[in-house]
């Protein structure tokens, strides 16, 4: 029931956008409301898990929402709700400025709802094959969304995205097939052999070499969608060219959904070959992403690309966390929530910046705090949060991560991580300072375009403060449950 | 049919699938790329039918029909229409020249053999000889995407890669469960349709489908 | 032992005798396929007889190499005909008839001919030699690999033993290793014997000739020897292709009956392959020279795949 509602709500919201002959604000309102309702449904699933049950429906638990799924469903629906609520007004203003036409605006709502629905399916499907189909579905749904504003750069970004994304997903399918093959060979033809619960349970009987090979394909394949280096090349282009609400949703939720897929398989592989192997591979890719982000962030001239590289950095941190044992996993999950809140906040605020200043370049943006005081303040909050400063949630998760690293016996690695974080801190801060302060260009009209539109972003700030100051007890229990799912 | 003969025929079919894929690396004409892809899909259909007949899996007949309908008939037809509209005939100056591409394909095949050794060892099916070849097709598809400049050639490379994955699924486990198979098929089809729309748009916007020109966004 | 040596001699004689006929057959079929009447099958014999009686004209710049080359080429091909299993396998000289020896004897002929093309200092000769060397360099590894692929099964690179082994287990002929090796060797045969699409044996245009360019300065009996040697090389390659891959008919014992059957089988297989080559030449256009390495790299790959397939299927 809750599970079904979770998936059907966004799909239902796509229908008005599909059938309406012309755009009407109610289309946007239904989409935002549907995501909000989905968020409530996700809360219900979380509550059910905290009470001890695992909601599921279908033969052999076809759809299943354990603690981990609940956390991710909350992230996906939360980010979607905020983005769509903010996006409603924002996109209407873009249309008024001539950047979008009526048909494309309607297409946005159809595709975005499909996007949300496929992400939710990916995190609640027990069948790893269906999970794969859903993740591929997100690629197809977002391909046109990135290129929504028909510019040369957007077209280039979407081409790279769909090509690299599809190839990555295809490689993930190779991994899935190999895992299935291993299962069928060693355990025999079983109904629901692709169900994660079945795989995790019977994994110790599988052939280690084939599992290791499968995991490599899974990590490289889903890692492409998650933005792990060196498969991340599509990410800066796609996330910077997409309209602000889409960038927010992609950075905030899509990347972690792909990482979730890797995490599910990690459990299977850990049960089969012991926790060391998957952990090492995750650390390797996480570190590579961190290094790459640190090196390239400072050279960015566009603020949206800067945010995109920051996503690579944070996904790298999450990936590292997943490879560092139970405490690291908890840190990664906490980080997921914090990053979703801060990154979506940043991207949505940057939408306002783009509208006011008319340029994506950092050099063109000056004196934001004077021109758009509220947006500027929100952007500052987001940036400070992304830099890992207290009192925001990412500080807590990063400290937890470093502690986990020391506990796991990798002090040098943590030293490297800290050094890289400092490097990123410095370059980011430099850009930020130049953007927020200073004298704004003469042709920029000061004043918020639509202050009320910033209201949903308050939710993000609240989440960040809550995570940073005192994590609410039920949330902590839920996160512990989710981490427990990932424990070998 | 004896297992040994079936095994030989499967190996033969898989080799032909790989060779048609490599033939794409050899030629320069985009129309030929589409033709070779269609032929590769056709050989793939024959392999599926062979496995279906030998293993008695009724689902595979459906899979074979779908592969025939879409990958042999529909997708090549759409690709040909795109090519005619875009007006590009040959792939000039690929990033990796032909003898190097072909040599790389050989190397990738050897790597595929090395990588899939544990898989072949534990497999009890008579189709296992073709498993390394299927993975080699995946690598060759990847090579086509990476080494060719024309967006259309990259789409063909992606489709070859998908053929390889589907072949791997058939040979390793006589196909994955039907729902996953159908979902995967749908995804590939939709992905292809999206990509071909993009080729039209790229042609309109950039006046060429040479992806080297799509380099406005740099680091 | 005596019979064996007689059979060897018979093989050499057969090669000498049948080679021009095979070339004549291919030319005749090509002509008919192209809608012409064509010269009769025995025209090449007439050409040889004419050339042997003609006067030799030598360039003043030609050295002893130029005069010795036809003999070396002819001799090397004749020795090869003793070493390959044309009608019977195994034979006493087969111990020496290893793959490596055969390949390098043929290569010796190519090398000497290339030198002879350079010797008189004519432009066409040099051009032909350089082109020939390019093609030979690309084709040799493929021959080696393809026959290695076949030899993996037989456990030996001795051609006779490979043939015997294939006769013993006929089901293997359908295997991918076998067929891939056949494809690779077929392409190499076209390259080595100077047939389309690599080289046009009927042309004397600067743009298109390779083998003919090296022969351009020769006349009289030297030319006769070289043409004969070229025909014999073609026959040997065809016979190898036939006997390695479709070995039925090759005599395993040395009884007269088996030998007669083998002779008939050989003639049939040669005719079939010759017809195939004629058909192919009619259909294909000559490849531009810089595309030839592409074709040969494909054949190299096929040979590589053949070896891998053979190893894995062992």
């Amino acid at each position: 029931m809750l599970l079904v509602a979770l998936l059907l709500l966004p799909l239902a919201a796509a229908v008005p956008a599909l059938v309406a002959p012309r755009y009407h604000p109610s289309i946007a309102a239904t989409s935002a409301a549907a995501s909000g309702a989905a968020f409530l449904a996700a809360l219900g699933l979380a509550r059910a898990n905290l009470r001890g049950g695992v909601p599921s429906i279908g033969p052999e638990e076809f759809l299943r929402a354990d603690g981990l799924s609940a956390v991710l469903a909350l992230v996906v629906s939360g980010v979607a709700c905020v983005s769509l609520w903010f996006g409603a007004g924002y996109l209407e203003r873009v249309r008024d400025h001539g950047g979008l036409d009526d048909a494309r605006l309607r297409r946005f709502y159809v595709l975005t709802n499909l996007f949300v629905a496929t992400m939710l399916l990916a995190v609640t499907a027990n069948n790893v094959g269906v999970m794969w189909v859903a993740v591929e579905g997100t690629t197809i749904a977002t391909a046109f969304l990135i290129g929504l504003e028909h510019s040369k750069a957007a077209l280039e970004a979407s081409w790279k995205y769909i090509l690299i994304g599809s190839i990555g997903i295809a490689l993930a399918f190779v991994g899935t097939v190999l895992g299935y093959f291993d299962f069928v060979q060693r355990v025999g033809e079983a109904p629901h052999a692709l169900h994660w619960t079945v795989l995790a349970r019977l994994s110790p009987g599988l052939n280690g070499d084939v599992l290791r090979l499968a995991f490599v394909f899974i990590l490289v394949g889903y890692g492409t969608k998650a933005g792990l280096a060196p498969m991340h090349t599509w990410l800066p282009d796609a996330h910077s060219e997409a309209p602000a609400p889409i960038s927010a949703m992609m950075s905030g939720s899509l990347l972690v959904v792909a990482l979730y897929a890797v995490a599910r398989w990690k459990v299977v592989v850990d049960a089969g070959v012991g926790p060391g192997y998957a952990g090492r591979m995750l650390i390797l890719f996480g570190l590579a992403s961190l290094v790459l982000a640190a090196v390239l962030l400072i050279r960015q001239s566009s603020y949206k690309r800067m945010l995109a590289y920051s996503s690579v950095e944070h996904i790298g941190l999450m990936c590292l966390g997943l490879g560092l044992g139970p405490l690291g996993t908890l840190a990664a999950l906490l980080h997921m929530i914090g990053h979703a809140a801060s990154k979506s906040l940043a991207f949505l605020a940057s939408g306002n910046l783009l509208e006011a200043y008319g340029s994506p370049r950092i050099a063109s943006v000056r004196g934001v705090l004077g021109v758009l005081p509220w947006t500027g303040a929100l952007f500052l909050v987001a940036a400070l949060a992304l830099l890992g400063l207290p009192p925001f949630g990412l500080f807590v998760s990063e400290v937890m991560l470093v502690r986990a690293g020391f506990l796991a016996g990798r002090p040098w690695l943590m030293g490297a991580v800290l050094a890289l974080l400092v490097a990123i801190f410095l370059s980011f801060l430099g850009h930020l300072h130049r953007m927020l302060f200073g004298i704004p260009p003469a042709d920029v009209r000061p004043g918020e375009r639509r202050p009320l539109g910033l209201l949903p972003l308050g939710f993000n700030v609240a989440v960040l403060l809550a995570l940073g100051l005192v994590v609410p007890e039920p949330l902590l229990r839920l996160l512990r449950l989710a981490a427990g799912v990932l424990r070998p | 049919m004896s297992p040994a003969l079936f095994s030989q025929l499967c190996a033969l079919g898989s080799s032909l699938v790989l060779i048609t894929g490599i033939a794409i690396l050899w030629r320069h004409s985009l129309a030929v790329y589409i033709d070779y892809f269609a032929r590769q899909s056709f050989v793939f259909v024959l392999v599926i039918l062979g496995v279906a007949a030998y293993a008695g899996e009724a689902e595979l007949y459906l899979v074979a029909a779908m592969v025939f309908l879409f990958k042999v008939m529909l997708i090549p037809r759409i690709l040909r229409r795109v090519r005619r509209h875009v007006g590009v005939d040959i792939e000039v100056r690929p990033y990796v020249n032909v003898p190097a591409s072909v040599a790389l394909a050989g190397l990738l095949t050897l790597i595929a053999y090395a990588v899939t050794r544990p898989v072949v060892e534990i497999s009890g099916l008579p189709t296992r000889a073709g498993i390394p070849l299927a993975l080699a097709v995946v690598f060759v598809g990847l090579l086509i995407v990476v080494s060719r400049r024309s967006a259309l050639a990259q789409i063909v490379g992606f489709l070859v890669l998908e053929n390889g994955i589907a072949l791997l699924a058939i040979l390793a486990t006589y196909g994955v469960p039907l729902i996953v198979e159908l979902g995967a098929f749908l995804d590939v089809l939709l992905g292809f349709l999206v990509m071909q729309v993009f080729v039209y748009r790229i042609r309109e916007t950039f006046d060429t489908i040479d992806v080297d020109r799509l380099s406005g966004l740099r680091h | 032992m005596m019979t064996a040596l007689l059979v060897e001699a018979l093989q050499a004689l057969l090669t000498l005798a049948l080679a021009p006929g095979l070339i004549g057959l291919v030319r005749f079929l090509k002509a008919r396929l192209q809608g012409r009447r064509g010269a009769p099958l025995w025209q090449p014999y007439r050409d040889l007889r004419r050339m042997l009686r003609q006067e030799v004209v030598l360039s003043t710049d030609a050295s002893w190499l130029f005069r010795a080359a036809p003999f070396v080429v002819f001799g090397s091909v004749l020795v090869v005909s003793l070493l390959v299993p044309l009608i019977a396998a195994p034979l006493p000289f087969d111990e020496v008839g290893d793959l490596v020896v055969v390949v390098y004897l043929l290569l010796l002929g190519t090398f000497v001919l290339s030198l002879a093309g350079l010797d008189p200092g004519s432009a066409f000769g040099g051009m032909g030699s350089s082109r020939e060397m390019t093609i030979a360099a690309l084709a040799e590894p493929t021959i080696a690999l393809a026959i290695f692929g076949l030899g993996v099964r037989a456990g030996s690179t001795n051609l006779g033993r490979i043939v015997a082994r294939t006769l013993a287990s006929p089901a293997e002929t359908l295997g991918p290793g076998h067929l891939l090796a056949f494809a690779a060797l077929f392409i190499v045969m076209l390259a080595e014997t100077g047939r389309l699409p690599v080289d046009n044996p009927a042309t004397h245009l600067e743009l298109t000739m390779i083998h003919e360019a090296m022969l351009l300065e020769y006349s009289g009996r030297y030319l006769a020897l070289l043409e004969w040697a070229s025909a014999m090389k073609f026959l040997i390659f065809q016979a190898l292709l036939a006997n390695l891959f479709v070995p039925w008919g090759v005599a395993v014992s040395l009884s007269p009956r088996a030998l007669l059957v083998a002779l008939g089988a050989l003639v049939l297989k040669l005719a079939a392959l010759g017809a195939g080559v004629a058909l192919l030449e009619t259909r294909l256009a000559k490849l531009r020279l810089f595309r030839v390495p592409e074709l040969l790299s494909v054949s190299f790959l096929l040979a590589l795949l053949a070896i891998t397939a053979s190893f894995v299927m062992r």
Side-chain angles (χ1 to χ4, degrees), chain A residues 1-11 41 45 56-58 63 124:
Chain A
M1 339 59 314
L2 274 176
L3 275 168
V4 176
L6 186 74
L7 297 174
L8 284 183
L9 279 164
L11 279 176
L45 289 171
S56 63
I57 61 170
L63 290 178
T124 52

Side-chain angles (χ1 to χ4, degrees), chain A residues 303 353-354 357 359-368 431 434-437 439-441:
Chain A
Y303 47 88
L353 291 180
L354 185 61
Y357 286 83
S359 162
R361 297 174 51 79
I362 295 178
S364 313
V365 175
R366 289 267 175 278
V368 176
H431 290 312
R434 258 172 271 136
M435 283 175 71
L436 290 175
F437 302 103
I439 305 179

Side-chain angles (χ1 to χ4, degrees), chain A residues 104-457:
Chain A
R104 273 185 251 160
L105 196 52
R106 269 178 295 129
R107 198 185 305 160
F108 170 85
Y109 284 101
V110 174
L111 289 172
T112 308
N113 281 305
L114 276 174
F115 175 34
V116 175
T118 41
M119 278 198 285
L120 290 172
L121 177 61
V123 300
T124 52
N126 195 3
N127 183 321
V128 289
V130 174
M131 174 176 81
W132 178 86
V133 171
V135 177
E136 164 96 36
T138 64
T139 311
I140 295 172
T142 41
F144 286 119
L145 283 171
I146 293 176
L148 200 69
E149 304 176 52
H150 282 195
S151 70
K152 271 194 173 186
L155 190 55
E156 182 188 331
S158 356
W159 174 254
K160 268 198 202 169
Y161 174 70
I162 184 113
L163 192 64
I164 299 180
S166 298
I167 290 178
I169 293 287
L171 292 175
F173 193 62
V174 174
T176 311
V177 167
L178 286 174
Y180 179 62
F181 159 80
D182 201 357
F183 186 87
V184 167
Q185 282 300 131
R186 295 292 263 225
V187 179
E189 192 76 49
H192 319 293
L194 275 176
H195 282 218
W196 177 80
T197 39
V198 175
L199 274 174
R201 192 171 64 228
L202 295 173
S203 173
L206 299 182
N207 177 294
D209 287 324
V210 178
L211 262 185
R212 273 182 268 255
L213 182 65
F215 189 69
V216 172
F217 276 102
I218 292 280
L219 185 53
V220 170
Y222 283 123
T224 311
K225 283 293 289 180
L228 290 172
M231 296 90 59
H232 70 289
T233 45
W234 58 273
L235 203 156
D237 300 342
H239 286 206
S240 59
E241 292 304 319
I246 296 299
S247 303
M249 278 195 270
M250 288 183 73
S251 265
S253 41
L254 184 55
L255 299 183
V256 294
V257 167
L259 203 57
Y260 158 88
V262 176
R264 284 279 182 204
W265 275 100
K266 173 177 183 284
V267 177
V268 176
V269 173
D270 282 350
V273 300
Y277 177 74
R280 278 195 300 274
M281 299 225 61
L282 285 168
I283 291 176
L284 183 67
F285 278 90
L287 190 63
S289 308
L290 206 53
V291 169
L292 198 107
V295 166
L296 291 173
L297 197 76
I298 193 166
R299 295 180 42 189
Q300 294 316 306
S301 52
S302 147
Y303 47 88
K304 284 185 88 169
R305 275 181 91 86
M306 183 178 74
L307 291 174
Y309 274 106
S310 162
S311 292
V312 175
E313 169 211 343
H314 286 280
I315 280 287
L317 281 172
M318 288 182 235
C319 195
L320 257 175
L322 285 176
L324 286 174
L327 186 61
T329 312
L330 189 62
L333 290 171
L334 195 59
H335 204 91
M336 263 187 214
I337 303 180
H339 179 251
S342 52
K343 192 47 68 67
S344 56
L345 180 63
F347 267 118
L348 293 174
S350 79
N352 272 357
L353 291 180
L354 185 61
E355 186 197 6
Y357 286 83
S359 162
R361 297 174 51 79
I362 295 178
S364 313
V365 175
R366 289 267 175 278
V368 176
L369 284 176
V371 172
L372 299 168
W374 288 105
T375 305
L378 287 168
F379 191 75
L380 178 62
V381 166
L384 293 177
L386 285 169
L387 287 172
L389 288 172
F392 302 113
L394 288 165
F395 173 72
V396 176
S397 53
E398 280 176 16
V399 166
M400 206 187 290
L401 180 75
V402 175
R403 249 186 73 206
F406 279 109
L407 276 176
R410 294 181 185 274
W412 290 106
L413 181 66
M414 289 303 112
V417 168
L418 284 170
L420 290 166
L421 286 177
V422 168
I424 293 173
F425 181 93
L426 291 172
S427 40
F428 210 126
L429 205 57
H431 290 312
L432 190 67
H433 185 268
R434 258 172 271 136
M435 283 175 71
L436 290 175
F437 302 103
I439 305 179
D443 56 347
V444 174
R445 180 169 67 87
E448 293 284 351
R449 305 295 185 262
R450 189 157 177 267
L452 282 179
L454 293 169
L455 212 57
L457 300 181

Side-chain angles (χ1 to χ4, degrees), chain B residues 5 7-9 11-12 15 18-19 22 26 28 98-99 102-103 105-107 109-110 113 129 132-133, chain C residues 153 171-176 179-180 287 291 293-295 297-298 300-302 304-305 308-309 312-313:
Chain B
L5 184 61
S7 188
Q8 291 271 42
L9 288 175
L12 184 61
S15 307
L18 178 60
I19 287 173
I22 292 177
W26 171 34
H28 294 260
V98 171
V102 171
L107 186 64
T109 310
L110 291 175
Y113 267 104
L133 296 168
Chain C
R153 294 291 189 79
E172 282 174 8
T173 46
L174 266 186
L179 292 167
L180 286 170
L287 278 177
R291 296 254 187 261
E294 296 177 1
L295 177 63
S297 68
V298 171
F300 178 79
L301 178 70
L302 289 175
L304 189 67
L305 290 179
T308 343
V312 169
M313 301 277 280

